[in-house]
Amino acid sequence: MSLLAVRWVTRPLKTLADTAEELGKNIHRPALEERGPLEVVRAARALNTMQARLIGYISERTRVLAAMSHDLKTPLTRLRLRAELLEDAGLRARITTDLDEMQSMVGGALDFLRGAASGEPVKPVDVTALLESLQADMQELGGMVSIEGAPLQPFPGKPQALKRCLWNLLDNAVKYGKRARVVVRDSDEQLEVLIQDEGPGIPAPEIGKVFEPFYRVESSRSRETGGTGLGLSIAKGIAEDHGGRLELRNRAEGGLEVRLVLPRSAAPPSAAATKM
C-alpha cells in the first residue's frame, strides 16, 4: 500500500518535471492534465497558465514586429522612387545600394517573423522530392548540389516551413562554400540531413553566434554577398518548431557541415493545437 501511495504521488511529479523540460523546447505543446494531489494540481495549473501567457506574449510581439517590418516597405518604395530622380549618377547608385540592403533586411525580417507565427498544418512530407525540387531550383541559379541517401518514409512536418529551412541551408552552402553535398540518414527515431560545403568554415568562437538574428561573420558573410544574417536563425527556429535541432561544425577536410536533426517521435504542433 505504501509503495502504491508513493507511486501515486510521485508519478504526477515526474510528469510535471518532464513537461517543464519539454516546454523549453516546444512552447506550443499540449496543456498538462491537472490531476493528482492538490499541490500537484496547483503546480500543473500554474504551469499551464504560464505557458498560455508566454504564447500570448510571443504572439503579440511577433504581430507587432511583423507589422512594423511590413510598414517599412512603403517609405522604402517612396525613397527608391525619389532616388531615381536624382541627377547625380554616383549618389543615385549609392542610395540605391543602401535601399537594396534595407529592402533585403526587411524582407528577411518578415520571413523570420512569418516563420515564428506560422500556423501551417502538419502533413506527411516527401523529403526526397523536396530536396530534388530545391536541387533543381538551385541549379537553375548556377548552384551545384548533390544528394546522397533517402528517407525511409515521409516525415510528418510543415511542408513550406521545411522547404524554407532547407533552402536557407543550401543557399548558405552554395553562396559561401561553392557547392553543397546533402547526405540523408533516416531511422525509426530521427531523420538527419547533413549539408556540407567547401567554404572557409566558421571560426570556432563564432559558431554559437551565427544563429543570432542579423549576425554575420564578416570574413565570409559581408554585405557584398547580400546576406542579412537571418537565414540560419530562420532555419534554427523551424528545426526547433519540429522538435529538432540544428548543429554546425567545421569539417577536418575543410568547409562547414550543417546537421539538421528532426525526431520522428516529436511531431510539430498543428494549427489547431497551437490555439490553446
Side-chain angles (χ1 to χ4, degrees):
M1 292 293 293
S2 298
L3 290 175
L4 290 175
V6 170
R7 187 174 182 181
W8 179 75
V9 172
T10 57
R11 181 182 295 176
L13 290 176
K14 181 180 183 301
T15 302
L16 183 64
D18 292 341
T19 301
E21 183 178 356
E22 186 180 348
L23 187 62
K25 302 176 182 178
N26 179 15
I27 190 66
H28 294 290
R29 68 170 310 283
L32 182 64
E33 293 185 15
E34 300 175 6
R35 65 181 183 180
L38 178 61
E39 292 76 8
V40 175
V41 171
R42 293 179 60 186
R45 186 176 297 124
L47 185 64
N48 290 336
T49 301
M50 180 185 69
Q51 179 181 359
R53 289 175 179 173
L54 286 173
I55 291 175
Y57 169 75
I58 293 173
S59 298
E60 181 180 1
R61 186 198 63 172
T62 300
R63 286 195 299 269
V64 170
L65 292 177
M68 292 174 60
S69 298
H70 184 270
D71 290 345
L72 282 173
K73 287 188 172 183
T74 300
L76 283 174
T77 301
R78 290 200 300 264
L79 286 172
R80 190 179 300 278
L81 292 173
R82 291 170 182 170
E84 294 298 328
L85 300 178
L86 294 175
E87 297 181 358
D88 189 327
L91 178 61
R92 182 171 63 249
R94 290 194 297 272
I95 292 177
T96 301
T97 299
D98 289 341
L99 288 173
D100 288 340
E101 183 179 352
M102 292 175 65
Q103 190 76 45
S104 178
M105 293 180 68
V106 170
L110 283 173
D111 287 340
F112 179 72
L113 295 169
R114 191 178 297 116
S118 174
E120 184 182 4
V122 176
K123 299 179 181 179
V125 180
D126 186 339
V127 178
T128 298
L130 177 58
L131 287 172
E132 290 176 349
S133 173
L134 294 175
Q135 179 188 40
D137 292 341
M138 192 66 67
Q139 288 176 346
E140 287 184 1
L141 299 175
M144 299 180 62
V145 178
S146 63
I147 302 175
E148 300 177 13
L152 301 175
Q153 56 186 328
F155 180 81
K158 301 178 180 181
Q160 293 302 318
L162 289 175
K163 181 177 181 180
R164 185 182 301 121
C165 173
L166 291 169
W167 173 264
N168 287 350
L169 298 179
L170 289 172
D171 185 54
N172 274 354
V174 171
K175 185 181 296 181
Y176 308 120
K178 301 178 182 178
R179 65 184 66 192
R181 175 173 176 258
V182 181
V183 180
V184 179
R185 300 172 181 170
D186 197 9
S187 66
D188 294 335
E189 291 77 26
Q190 63 185 27
L191 172 66
E192 293 185 42
V193 180
L194 307 180
I195 300 179
Q196 303 169 343
D197 63 43
E198 300 177 1
I202 298 177
E206 306 289 332
I207 287 182
K209 299 178 181 179
V210 295
F211 291 118
E212 299 175 7
F214 297 107
Y215 186 88
R216 292 179 296 188
V217 181
E218 291 302 326
S219 62
S220 61
R221 289 156 171 78
S222 62
R223 294 185 179 183
E224 285 72 15
T225 64
T228 61
L230 281 171
L232 288 176
S233 299
I234 294 172
K236 179 175 180 288
I238 293 172
E240 292 177 347
D241 186 43
H242 286 76
R245 63 186 186 276
L246 200 62
E247 302 173 349
L248 305 180
R249 76 173 184 90
N250 290 309
R251 303 167 62 206
E253 58 271 32
L256 185 71
E257 178 180 88
V258 181
R259 181 170 176 252
L260 174 63
V261 181
L262 300 172
R264 290 189 173 275
S265 59
S270 64
T274 58
K275 296 178 182 179
M276 298 181 56

